[in-house]
C-alpha cells in the first residue's frame, strides 16, 4: 500500500517537472480516403524536404523527407509535383491552408522566415501552430485516396543527433 502511494507520488511529481513538448493540430479536411501516418518516419530525423503534387483544385499527393529518407508517397498520380528543400537546421513552425471535402492549400512558415505555398486559395481556412515553445513540425498524418483528403500536423522538439 505504502509502495503504491509512493509510486503514485513519484508519477505525479515527475509529470509536473517534465515539460511537455508534443502537440497536434487537425485533422483538416474530409473523411474520405485511407489513413496515413508518418509517425515512424520521424525517427529518421527532422523534416528536410517536401514534395507536393497539386492539380487545379486540390493538394493531390504528399511525400516528405525525414533526415536522409523519403517517406512513402501518399495520394494520387495526376497533377504537377513540386519539391522544396529546407535549409540545414531550418524547421517548419506554422502550417496554414484551406480545405473543403479535400485539402486545397498548404502554406508552410519556417523559422528562417520563409513562406512556402502550394495549391489554391479557396475553402475553409485553418491555421496550425505548436502549443509549446521551441517545438517544430515533426511529422504528418491524414487521409488520402486520389487526392489528400485531410491532414494532421504533429509538433515536438527538433530531434537531437
Ligand atoms: C478515391 C477514394 C475516396 C477518396 C478520394 C479522394 C476517387 O475516390 O479513395 O475515398 O475520398 O479518392 O482522395
Amino acid at each position: 500500500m505504502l509502495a503504491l502511494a509512493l509510486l503514485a507520488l513519484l508519477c505525479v511529481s515527475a509529470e509536473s517537472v517534465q515539460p511537455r513538448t508534443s502537440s497536434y493540430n487537425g485533422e483538416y479536411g474530409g473523411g474520405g480516403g485511407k489513413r496515413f501516418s508518418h509517425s515512424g518516419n520521424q525517427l529518421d530525423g527532422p523534416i528536410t524536404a517536401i514534395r507536393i503534387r497539386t492539380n487545379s483544385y486540390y493538394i493531390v499527393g504528399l511525400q516528405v523527407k525525414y533526415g536522409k529518407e523519403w517517406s512513402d508517397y501518399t495520394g494520387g498520380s495526376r497533377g504537377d509535383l513540386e519539391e522544396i528543400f529546407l535549409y540545414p537546421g531550418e524547421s517548419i513552425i506554422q502550417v496554414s491552408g484551406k480545405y473543403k471535402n479535400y485539402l486545397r492549400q498548404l502554406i508552410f512558415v519556417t523559422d528562417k522566415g520563409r513562406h512556402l505555398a502550394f495549391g489554391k486559395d479557396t475553402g475553409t481556412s485553418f491555421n496550425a501552430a505548436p502549443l509549446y515553445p521551441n517545438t517544430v513540425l515533426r511529422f504528418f498524418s491524414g487521409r488520402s485516396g486520389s487526392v489528400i483528403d485531410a491532414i494532421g500536423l504533429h509538433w515536438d522538439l527538433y530531434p537531437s543527433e
Side-chain angles (χ1 to χ4, degrees):
M1 194 57 207
L2 185 63
L4 261 183
L6 272 174
L7 187 66
L9 200 69
L10 262 177
C11 291
V12 169
S13 53
E15 183 149 342
S16 56
V17 246
Q18 226 167 58
R20 293 183 193 200
T21 57
S22 46
S23 60
Y24 171 72
N25 297 116
E27 198 167 77
Y28 305 109
K34 283 194 171 146
R35 287 198 172 283
F36 71 89
S37 172
H38 292 173
S39 69
N41 300 78
Q42 69 176 317
L43 300 174
D44 292 331
I47 292 172
T48 51
I50 298 180
R51 287 181 182 146
I52 290 188
R53 192 183 298 281
T54 57
N55 65 19
S56 311
Y57 306 101
Y58 306 115
I59 303 287
V60 172
L62 175 72
Q63 189 178 23
V64 182
K65 198 173 189 184
Y66 295 88
K68 296 188 162 109
E69 305 290 332
W70 283 102
S71 72
D72 288 341
Y73 176 82
T74 187
S77 54
R78 295 206 190 164
D80 303 314
L81 192 65
E82 302 179 58
E83 180 177 87
I84 55 125
F85 276 83
L86 297 180
Y87 299 140
E90 185 179 47
S91 299
I92 294 162
I93 53 168
Q94 185 190 342
V95 182
S96 51
K98 300 271 165 90
Y99 65 93
K100 216 173 155 192
N101 294 324
Y102 304 141
L103 190 60
R104 293 169 173 241
Q105 185 193 49
L106 281 174
I107 302 172
F108 300 102
V109 179
T110 79
D111 59 357
K112 305 256 195 251
R114 292 203 290 170
H115 289 231
L116 307 160
F118 302 88
K120 281 287 178 321
D121 192 12
T122 55
T124 305
S125 311
F126 69 88
N127 220 319
L131 198 53
Y132 299 105
N134 306 315
T135 58
V136 304
L137 185 65
R138 288 300 310 280
F139 72 93
F140 293 83
S141 63
R143 309 187 65 88
S144 70
S146 58
V147 302
I148 303 293
D149 292 71
I151 197 123
L153 295 320
H154 302 254
W155 312 91
D156 208 334
L157 294 175
Y158 190 87
S160 48
E161 302 289 305

